[in-house]
Amino acid sequence: MFIDERQFKEYMTPEEIRGVIKNLAEQINRDHGVDEKVLLVGVLKGAIVVMADLVRQLHSDVRVDFVRTASVGKSKTSAGTVCLVKDISIDVCDTHVIIVEEIIDSGRALKFLYDRFKSAKPKSLKVATMMDKREKRLVDVGADYVGKIVDDQFLIGYGLDLEEKCRNLPGIYSLRYPN
Ligand code: IMP
Ligand code: MG
């Protein structure tokens, strides 16, 4: 796919991403036995590529499901409230649940999901993210498994979109001149 190099610069090569995902998988595998029931919950749409690569490196008794959130009443001055557009269809009882994100920014969407899954009383609840824009956090929520801590910048590729485009790029690119 064509990338305008005046606008974007390469941030992570596919090779570097492979290393980050491998490291995430190793962390998760250390904490979960081969016989343990683990449900990976991917947050649509951005986490689809991370999910596909991560799930194939986990050695537990893994299931996969997805959720999708939306911001209601979002305006230029307010972030709005988060709501669930798509829920999981698998029971979380007796299951270790891991919410999988490609990137955490303000943390609003994740905080909403975390609280919601917590109230469903899974065996344990953890968060895995490929990237963490830690300095942008506005609410008190964090990830248990972090691939890479990144600065405040706009990133595309490997699931991350620019107005729904660029999710298919195998590498990650950053916007050169954010406004
Ligand atoms: P928040 O943590 O609730 O602010 O939202 C995080 C979500 O916003 C992520 O899961 C992404 O879908 C999206 N997002 C955050 N930062 C970026 C970025 O740099 N590029 C593309 N999408 C992003
Ligand atoms: Mg996301």
Side-chain angles (χ1 to χ4, degrees):
M1 203 193 123
F2 175 75
I3 275 282
D4 185 351
E5 292 193 352
R6 288 165 305 181
Q7 234 192 324
F8 288 98
K9 58 175 182 283
E10 190 169 56
Y11 183 70
M12 258 199 270
T13 63
E15 190 62 40
E16 286 166 336
I17 296 171
R18 260 193 293 282
V20 168
I21 301 295
K22 182 166 180 274
N23 177 267
L24 261 189
E26 281 167 1
Q27 294 179 55
I28 295 171
N29 282 335
R30 262 198 298 276
D31 286 356
H32 299 86
V34 179
D35 297 330
E36 280 186 304
K37 247 169 99 174
V38 173
L39 173 65
L40 288 191
V41 178
V43 184
L44 293 171
K45 303 178 192 171
I48 53 163
V49 189
V50 181
M51 281 287 273
D53 284 347
L54 184 63
V55 72
R56 286 177 287 173
Q57 295 186 49
L58 299 183
H59 62 206
S60 296
D61 180 14
V62 172
R63 285 149 185 75
V64 167
D65 210 336
F66 291 92
V67 284
R68 185 157 186 211
T69 59
S71 259
V72 182
K74 195 173 173 180
S75 71
K76 282 208 159 57
T77 50
S78 150
T81 48
V82 182
C83 72
L84 204 60
V85 179
K86 187 221 169 294
D87 203 352
I88 59 167
S89 52
I90 293 178
D91 189 8
V92 301
C93 187
D94 294 328
T95 303
H96 297 279
V97 173
I98 305 175
I99 301 173
V100 178
E101 276 276 23
E102 77 290 11
I103 196 162
I104 307 172
D105 193 293
S106 71
R108 282 185 210 276
L110 178 61
K111 173 82 174 130
F112 169 84
L113 289 171
Y114 189 90
D115 292 346
R116 200 169 177 284
F117 279 105
K118 196 82 196 167
S119 66
K121 298 193 169 34
K123 204 163 186 181
S124 72
L125 179 59
K126 297 236 163 64
V127 175
T129 189
M130 178 175 70
M131 294 184 288
D132 187 354
K133 283 188 193 172
R134 211 161 269 184
E135 64 184 77
K136 291 279 302 290
R137 201 75 88 256
L138 293 176
V139 294
D140 185 22
V141 68
D144 303 276
Y145 308 109
V146 178
K148 186 178 165 73
I149 296 168
V150 299
D151 300 333
D152 177 16
Q153 59 199 308
F154 188 73
L155 302 166
I156 58 163
Y158 197 77
L160 293 152
D161 73 307
L162 172 65
E163 294 168 349
E164 295 299 331
K165 293 176 296 190
C166 304
R167 294 193 200 271
N168 58 322
L169 298 173
I172 295 176
Y173 297 79
S174 70
L175 187 62
R176 284 184 192 276
Y177 313 107
N179 47 24

